[in-house]
Amino acid sequence: MTDSHETATGEFATREDVVDARGGSGSASAPSPPPSSALSSAPSTAPSFAPDSLVLNRKLPLWYQVSQSLRASILGRPQDASLRLPTEEQLATHYGVSVLTMRQALKELETEGLISRHRRRGTFIEPRARRATPVRLLGSVDAIVAQQSGDATTVLGHGTVPVPGDLAEFFPDCGEVVSFRRLRRDGESGEPTNWAENAVRPEVAARIDLTDLERWPMTKVLHDIVGVKISRITDTVEARLADPVTADLLQVPLLSPILHYTGVTYDEKGRVVDVARIRYRGDRFSFSLTVEAR
């Protein structure tokens, strides 16, 4: 461990550490620790986990950069590292961002199961946190449209459905969404390449013309035709096995490898307007990412 890490560890004393050092309140009404393996293995007087430093690129979302840096620090931590994270304020100071930005970064890690947050107790690394995380790609709307273009598209069907359980977090204010199902084929060979399901906010879906979906990707329709002011799109790419529906539509063997893409589109108000789930044939697609140094 470097000297800079040792210094950071010393600086990251938590609020609870300060209270304990002064003797605490001694009140019998103090809340009991939540039943968590992280809490049981990290006493309140233990020093906080010291994350790596980060040079921010102002061209990318700050919360995303901070979450990626903190995730790398957590997954690459020594075996004997403390499980207690510094407070939001201390982490915000460490990374040079606002508390609001830091809170958004921590929420991302909590969603992935890497950390757990407990009121009045602090934030802790989950000892058994999964280390295999999805690949997330950030890019422009134009890049997403280009990625989805070039195939002949058939609309398989659409209709209003209850919000699927695994999408409930994206549509907390909606009881229903409009589902669009599309199959894409290679423009020359006619071979199926991928099929997509889009869950769209009802008031937005009402303005979508199906003939437009046969000509252009959903992102282009939302942005250029419907007029949605897209603020960002979060992409996740995972390796999966073909289920019966996917195997039939893409004409591949059952349980053969596929690439499963999830794209979450947000408008200028921060609301999710569309969640796209696309299954790509594993033998037809690859994803590359170019990272430029500052």
Side-chain angles (χ1 to χ4, degrees):
M1 181 174 291
T2 65
D3 293 338
S4 60
H5 273 83
E6 293 172 356
T7 302
T9 302
E11 292 174 351
F12 281 135
T14 64
R15 291 175 178 174
E16 291 80 3
D17 296 336
V18 174
V19 172
D20 290 341
R22 294 176 179 174
S25 62
S27 171
S29 61
S32 300
S36 167
S37 57
L39 296 184
S40 63
S41 61
S44 61
T45 55
S48 298
F49 173 76
D52 296 332
S53 59
L54 171 67
V55 177
L56 294 170
N57 182 340
R58 297 292 168 177
K59 295 181 180 180
L60 293 175
L62 299 182
W63 69 267
Y64 173 81
Q65 296 178 73
V66 170
S67 69
Q68 295 296 307
S69 176
L70 188 51
R71 177 190 293 111
S73 296
I74 289 173
L75 297 181
R77 69 189 185 277
Q79 291 294 328
D80 59 349
S82 172
L83 296 178
R84 179 191 292 274
L85 286 182
T87 65
E88 288 179 352
E89 292 82 359
Q90 291 169 329
L91 285 170
T93 299
H94 174 73
Y95 285 113
V97 297
S98 68
V99 173
L100 186 62
T101 296
M102 193 66 239
R103 192 168 296 158
Q104 189 174 1
L106 290 173
K107 182 179 179 181
E108 176 79 2
L109 298 183
E110 184 179 26
T111 299
E112 293 182 10
L114 289 177
I115 62 174
S116 60
R117 311 180 73 186
H118 306 277
R119 185 177 178 83
R120 298 183 181 180
R121 292 296 304 175
T123 302
F124 297 85
I125 299 170
E126 285 295 327
R128 293 182 295 275
R130 59 188 177 89
R131 291 178 177 263
T133 57
V135 176
R136 297 179 184 273
L137 309 176
L138 287 177
S140 67
V141 171
D142 289 338
I144 299 297
V145 170
Q147 172 187 301
Q148 297 174 352
S149 299
D151 291 332
T153 302
T154 301
V155 176
L156 301 175
H158 78 289
T160 302
V161 298
V163 176
D166 59 339
L167 300 185
E169 63 176 301
F170 299 116
F171 300 101
D173 57 334
C174 296
E176 297 177 325
V177 291
V178 178
S179 175
F180 296 88
R181 293 160 52 94
R182 293 164 297 136
L183 176 66
R184 296 193 183 103
R185 298 178 179 274
D186 183 272
E188 296 182 0
S189 67
E191 185 179 43
T193 58
N194 64 87
W195 79 279
E197 288 181 295
N198 289 79
V200 182
R201 186 174 287 272
E203 63 270 26
V204 175
R207 293 180 279 159
I208 295 176
D209 190 321
L210 293 182
T211 58
D212 290 331
L213 286 181
E214 293 178 347
R215 299 174 59 191
W216 296 302
M218 176 66 81
T219 304
K220 181 176 177 64
V221 172
L222 292 174
H223 186 262
D224 294 350
I225 299 177
V226 177
V228 174
K229 295 182 178 179
I230 297 175
S231 63
R232 73 179 190 275
I233 300 174
T234 300
D235 291 348
T236 304
V237 181
E238 302 172 87
R240 292 191 181 180
L241 301 178
D243 56 50
V245 173
T246 298
D248 179 59
L249 288 174
L250 299 186
Q251 299 177 14
V252 297
L254 183 65
L255 301 182
S256 61
I258 63 167
L259 290 177
H260 188 282
Y261 162 93
T262 302
V264 184
T265 301
Y266 297 80
D267 65 13
E268 61 180 350
K269 298 179 181 179
R271 301 181 311 167
V272 173
V273 295
D274 169 46
V275 178
R277 291 179 289 186
I278 307 175
R279 289 81 166 177
Y280 293 92
R281 283 183 55 154
D283 61 345
R284 292 295 303 272
F285 281 87
S286 64
F287 285 82
S288 63
L289 176 64
T290 300
V291 179
E292 296 183 0
R294 297 177 69 242

